[in-house]
């Protein structure tokens, strides 16, 4: 129940609105009971052919309760849905605020489909926390108290009987159906999560599945997941029908028992025939709010599972946090890396091992090495996606852990190997770097990045993951974002690795042009135009094994020269 109480704490600010909605829900059901009671009174009384004036009270009651029931129902739905939407909005904002500091380090162990299921469906399922979990029991409890009072006026025995049958309908039937449906809600949610992952894998990897002949097997797995979900849903529907039947059976049992208790009182004059008719219909109507209660426990189980899945992510400690009093970013941008080491969680091998180097303001350096040497790890540490295990990175003489991570990332422009474009327009993808940029600013950036033909297409849709654009165009949009960012430090992490030779040369020239006067760190395994760099660091197994100018490294007989010869011999023979 710990998860349930944590969820309750999230909706606590809406307590008085929820209480008001419960009271109006009770008034709605009470109006329905009153409508049936007054209707029964008129029908039974009219059968005795009394003077018309004696029916006026009943007629007024029918009119009042008939109108009140509709009005109260509308107000109750208005308030309860308003609460539900506010709760959902609060939950979504709360979840995003909590999950954003965890990216990317703490989220790398989750599949994207599973994360999507948690962000969308799990939060969506929590809309039931009031309308299906908290509201119905409160309404049923108030109706039970009302019937206790009404029947207690005529007979204590009848009041006790209605209390027993209401208890069975409100506690016994829900517990029975919960026992029968134990695990169904969890199973259905797990199947949905499995389907989400499989569907996302299908859409994103359909080419690879076709290439290796695994598409039929993947479709079979999707069909199996769907069949399993439908089987659980059918069982769930049968149990729902069972609990409605049991509640109806209890209503009939309560009616018979109360009639048995009250009929002897007719001879004593405590109850007359008209009152007995009124009580009969009131008892029947009083079971209406007990019908949703068995579903309450099932929704509670589903909400607890959804809460556990959300809290599993949110309880993770962020890898990086902002200091309480962050330092302003310094005007002097020299970079010092001292004894920098890092080991990924779950690994025994150091990705970086005691790196030490300095980058002066405006200096252009290249960090090269074979795949797996630890080059991209340096980028992750500079951007504070991770914290170093040992050693430090300083800018302007201050450790980067003393800066606000968001401010640090605004001051370091990154062009990575994989440029992510959202399924939005070119304009919206560009304004990520500068939300206040004007159309003129966007067009200048596109022109400088070699995309002058895009200046008239700012509102053109980029496609899912930017797939409507070529690889070179996506990289150039990344360059345009860097231009709009106006950051004094640039990091190029395999920025041209996936481009063809002609596009790579054009993008490299553009990057060289825009990095003039800025501090530039290029991370690459492709040794192209190395002569332009002020210094080259050669990385192997997380250590700096060589450093110097291109000509100096070529005069040696180390890793750099071997890499150069292998790449350029391969190019010449290719």
């Amino acid at each position: 129940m710990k998860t349930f109480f944590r969820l309750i704490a999230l909706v606590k600010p809406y307590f008085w609105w929820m209480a008001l909605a419960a009271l109006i829900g009770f008034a709605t059901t009470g109006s329905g009971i009153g409508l049936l009671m007054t209707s029964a009174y008129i029908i039974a009384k009219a059968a005795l052919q009394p003077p018309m004036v004696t029916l006026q009270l009943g007629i007024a009651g029918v009119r009042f309760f008939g109108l009140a029931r509709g009005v109260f129902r509308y107000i109750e739905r208005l308030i309860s849905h308003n609460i539900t939407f506010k709760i959902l909005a609060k939950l979504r904002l709360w979840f995003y605020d909590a999950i954003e500091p965890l990216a990317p380090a703490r989220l790398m162990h989750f599949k994207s489909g599973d994360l999507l299921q948690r962000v969308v469906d799990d939060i969506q399922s929590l809309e039931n926390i009031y309308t299906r979990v908290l509201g119905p029991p409160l309404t049923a409890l108030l109706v039970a108290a009302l019937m206790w009072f009404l029947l207690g006026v005529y007979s204590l025995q009848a009041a006790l009987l209605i209390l027993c049958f209401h208890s069975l309908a409100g506690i016994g039937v829900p517990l029975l159906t919960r026992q029968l449906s134990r695990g169904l809600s969890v199973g259905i949610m797990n199947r949905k999560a499995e389907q989400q992952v499989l569907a996302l894998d299908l859409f994103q990897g359909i080419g690879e599945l076709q290439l290796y002949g695994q598409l039929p097997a993947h479709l079979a797995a999707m069909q199996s997941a769907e069949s399993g979900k439908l089987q659980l849903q059918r069982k769930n529907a049968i149990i729902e029908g069972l609990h409605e039947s049991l509640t109806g059976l209890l209503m009939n049992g309560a009616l018979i028992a109360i009639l048995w208790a009250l009929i002897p009182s007719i001879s004593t004059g405590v109850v007359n025939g008209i009152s007995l008719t009124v009580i009969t219909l009131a008892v029947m109507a009083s079971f209406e709010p007990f019908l949703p209660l068995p579903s309450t426990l099932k929704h509670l189980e589903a909400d607890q599972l959804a809460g556990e899945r959300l809290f599993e992510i949110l309880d993770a400690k962020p890898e990086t946090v902002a200091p309480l009093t962050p330092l302003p970013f310094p005007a002097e941008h020299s970079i010092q890396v001292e004894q920098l080491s890092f080991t990924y969680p779950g690994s025994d091998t150091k990705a970086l091992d005691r790196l030490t180097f300095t980058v002066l303001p405006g200096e252009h350096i290249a960090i090269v090495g074979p795949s797996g040497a630890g080059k991209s790890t340096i980028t992750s540490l500079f951007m504070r996606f991770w914290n170093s295990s040992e050693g430090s990175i300083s800018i302007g003489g201050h450790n980067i852990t003393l800066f606000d991570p968001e401010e640090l990332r605004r001051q370091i422009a990154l062009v990575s190997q994989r440029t992510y474009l959202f399924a939005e327009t070119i304009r919206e993808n560009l304004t990520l770097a500068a939300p206040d940029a004007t159309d003129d600013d966007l067009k200048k950036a596109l022109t400088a990045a070699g995309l002058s033909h895009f200046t008239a297409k700012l509102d053109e849709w980029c496609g899912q993951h930017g797939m409507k654009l070529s690889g070179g165009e996506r990289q150039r949009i990344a360059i345009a974002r860097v231009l709009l960012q106006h950051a004094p430090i640039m990091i190029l992490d395999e920025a041209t690795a996936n481009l063809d030779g002609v596009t790579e040369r054009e993008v490299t020239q553009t990057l060289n042009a825009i990095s003039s006067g800025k501090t530039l760190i290029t991370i690459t395994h492709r040794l192209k135009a190395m002569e332009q760099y002020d210094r080259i660091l050669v990385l192997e197994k997380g250590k700096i094994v060589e450093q110097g100018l291109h000509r100096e490294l070529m005069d040696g007989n180390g890793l750099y020269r071997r890499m150069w010869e292998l790449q350029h011999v391969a190019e010449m023979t290719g």
Side-chain angles (χ1 to χ4, degrees), residues 170-202:
I171 300 174
V173 173
L175 289 177
L176 175 62
T177 54
R178 182 187 183 186
Q179 186 63 32
L180 293 174
S181 63
R182 185 177 295 277
L184 285 182
S185 297
V186 175
I188 291 171
M189 290 188 69
N190 287 338
R191 290 290 185 177
K192 286 183 177 180
E194 182 183 355
Q195 284 183 305
Q196 196 89 39
V197 172
L198 289 170
L200 201 60
D201 287 344
L202 175 66

Side-chain angles (χ1 to χ4, degrees), residues 173 176-177 180 236-248 294:
V173 173
L176 175 62
T177 54
L180 293 174
N236 190 55
I238 292 172
I239 294 173
E240 285 186 356
L242 176 64
H243 89 244
E244 291 180 4
S245 300
L246 288 174
T247 304

Side-chain angles (χ1 to χ4, degrees), residues 508-525:
T508 300
Q509 291 172 354
T510 303
L511 288 170
N512 290 338
I514 68 172
S515 61
S516 178
K518 297 183 179 182
T519 302
L520 175 67
I521 300 175
T522 299
I523 296 173
T524 182
H525 69 279

Side-chain angles (χ1 to χ4, degrees), residues 256 297 301 332 351 453 471:
I256 294 170
L297 292 181
E301 181 184 17
E332 198 270 322
H453 58 290

Side-chain angles (χ1 to χ4, degrees), residues 110-130:
F110 295 92
K111 293 182 178 181
S112 55
D114 184 39
L115 282 174
L116 183 63
Q117 171 77 15
R118 298 179 194 231
V119 171
V120 179
D121 289 348
D122 286 353
I123 289 182
Q124 188 70 30
S125 71
L126 293 180
E127 70 175 351
N128 299 318
I129 198 167
Y130 170 72

Side-chain angles (χ1 to χ4, degrees), residues 493-549:
D493 187 359
E494 303 284 8
T496 61
N498 296 324
L499 304 179
D500 61 83
V502 175
T503 305
E504 179 183 16
R505 185 164 53 253
E506 293 174 351
V507 170
T508 300
Q509 291 172 354
T510 303
L511 288 170
N512 290 338
I514 68 172
S515 61
S516 178
K518 297 183 179 182
T519 302
L520 175 67
I521 300 175
T522 299
I523 296 173
T524 182
H525 69 279
R526 295 164 65 93
L527 306 185
K528 296 279 187 77
M530 290 291 108
E531 301 86 351
Q532 67 182 339
Y533 291 102
D534 301 318
R535 191 154 34 100
I536 302 170
L537 307 180
V538 185
L539 226 61
E540 184 178 27
K541 295 181 179 179
K543 296 182 179 180
I544 297 176
V545 294
E546 295 179 90
Q547 59 178 305
L549 296 171

